[in-house]
Amino acid sequence: MSLKATSVRLDDETLARIGQMADAMDRPRAWLMAEAIKQYIAREEWFIREVEQGVAAADANRLIDHADLKARWEAKRAAKVD
């Protein structure tokens, strides 16, 4: 995979914290920032997919009544307490 250089502007405190974390992990700052961006993108992509699925379910009228959902969660919680 070909890597491309880019730049990002960070305040001094954030850059110092990244540097400290990179030192603690014995990794370069660039590796740590790239890893953080990858994880952020994966999390946001997941969130967008979940929202799209929820919107599609609502559009198709596949909804659960609030009282029914609450009852399910309360029963699940009660089962774990016992």
Side-chain angles (χ1 to χ4, degrees):
M1 170 176 39
S2 173
L3 300 176
K4 306 252 184 216
T6 189
S7 65
V8 60
R9 295 185 188 278
L10 301 171
D11 60 78
D12 291 338
E13 180 187 352
T14 301
L15 190 57
R17 291 171 65 196
I18 290 170
Q20 291 168 353
M21 187 176 283
D23 288 345
M25 297 172 72
D26 196 28
R27 294 282 191 164
R29 283 190 325 197
W31 180 90
L32 184 64
M33 289 187 277
E35 186 64 24
I37 292 168
K38 288 176 190 175
Q39 289 182 24
Y40 173 82
I41 290 170
R43 186 175 55 248
E44 293 301 307
E45 287 174 337
W46 170 85
F47 181 77
I48 290 167
R49 281 192 308 273
E50 293 297 313
V51 168
E52 288 172 344
Q53 289 176 7
V55 169
D59 288 346
N61 204 28
R62 293 188 323 263
L63 302 172
I64 299 172
D65 181 71
H66 180 262
D68 292 341
L69 181 62
K70 184 177 177 183
R72 286 185 199 180
W73 277 104
E74 287 174 352
K76 191 173 189 176
R77 183 175 56 197
K80 287 186 178 181
V81 172
D82 293 339

